[in-house]
Amino acid sequence: MGANQEMQHLFLEAGDHEGCVAPSHPRRIEPLEAGHNEGFAAAYPPRITSRSGIALMVATLLIASVFVIGWRQSDKDILEHEGGNDVVELAMFNPSDDVVELTSGNFGHEVLHTDGVVLVVFCAPWSGHCKSLAPEWKDAASALKGVVKVGSVDMDAHGQVGGPYNVRGFPNIKIFGVNKNSPQDYNGARRAQGIVDAALKAVKDLVNSRTSGNTAGGGGGGGGGGG
């Protein structure tokens, strides 16, 4: 009986190993060489079995979910703003102010076809300079109420309104006085008093042009300059 057959016979006689057959060529298990351990660890990562390890994994997943939710919410806010659903939050002026909201639909009636002086600021809600001007513009509108109309154009929503007047930077203030088709640029101080003084000067110029019979490009009715 050869060595392999003798080994097989011994296995068959053992009660606990009934049915087992010894391999004809026993395989020698070689130790992992240096450099192979990394691949083995990557293919078979250690399992997390301790309670502390599981708790750490759960905490990591919770933190990641919070970041994902916040990112999706920020995207939603941007989409709502672009879709016009955030107008109330982003608007610089509200109906309770004495500032007239000018749009592409009412600009002709409120500005071009009125007989009085109209001050218009072309602005963008995201502009820091426009935000700084807003309280001064409101104060000027309140002081000039019933004398000079003070309005604003949101260029994000009604950019086409500023096209004929070469509006580029923000805020851009123009005075529609004697010639409504050729408004004057206001480059003075961005303070309520400076704005009021410029408006009153425009009113004086308008009155002088009427007394001298030199009215160019005036409006066709539509009430006085009051807001």
Side-chain angles (χ1 to χ4, degrees):
M1 181 181 296
N4 289 339
Q5 292 178 349
E6 183 177 355
M7 185 179 295
Q8 181 176 355
H9 178 71
L10 291 175
F11 272 106
L12 291 175
E13 288 182 352
D16 294 337
H17 302 280
E18 185 177 359
C20 295
V21 179
S24 58
H25 300 285
R27 180 181 178 186
R28 181 182 178 185
I29 300 176
E30 299 290 342
L32 291 175
E33 298 180 0
H36 291 181
N37 293 340
E38 296 180 359
F40 182 82
Y44 303 97
R47 296 181 180 178
I48 299 176
T49 56
S50 65
R51 292 184 179 180
S52 59
I54 295 175
L56 179 60
M57 181 178 64
V58 172
T60 303
L61 292 175
L62 288 175
I63 293 173
S65 64
V66 169
F67 277 107
V68 171
I69 293 173
W71 173 68
R72 291 179 63 86
Q73 183 61 40
S74 64
D75 278 358
K76 180 182 177 182
D77 293 341
I78 293 173
L79 291 173
E80 287 181 353
H81 165 52
E82 292 177 348
N85 296 331
D86 257 353
V87 174
V88 175
E89 180 181 350
L90 297 175
M92 293 169 46
F93 308 102
N94 56 65
S96 64
D97 297 325
D98 294 313
V99 179
V100 179
E101 180 184 1
L102 300 172
T103 67
S104 55
N106 68 2
F107 191 83
H109 171 73
E110 294 288 352
V111 179
L112 301 179
H113 301 152
T114 184
D115 290 331
V117 174
V118 184
L119 265 63
V120 178
V121 59
F122 298 87
C123 57
W126 46 261
S127 168
H129 294 299
C130 290
K131 292 178 181 179
S132 298
L133 174 66
E136 301 293 333
W137 196 253
K138 293 177 185 179
D139 291 344
S142 297
L144 293 168
K145 186 176 182 179
V147 180
V148 173
K149 183 182 295 182
V150 178
S152 69
V153 177
D154 181 347
M155 290 293 287
D156 273 0
H158 306 283
Q160 66 273 26
V161 175
Y165 310 109
N166 196 32
V167 174
R168 298 186 184 277
F170 306 114
N172 191 302
I173 301 174
K174 296 189 181 294
I175 302 173
F176 291 79
V178 176
N179 187 351
K180 294 294 193 301
N181 296 320
S182 181
Q184 298 176 330
D185 290 323
Y186 174 77
N187 297 313
R190 293 176 181 176
R191 295 289 183 268
Q193 189 58 56
I195 296 168
V196 169
D197 291 343
L200 294 178
K201 181 181 181 301
V203 171
K204 182 178 180 180
D205 292 343
L206 179 60
V207 172
N208 289 337
S209 68
R210 288 176 180 175
T211 56
S212 63
N214 183 22
T215 57

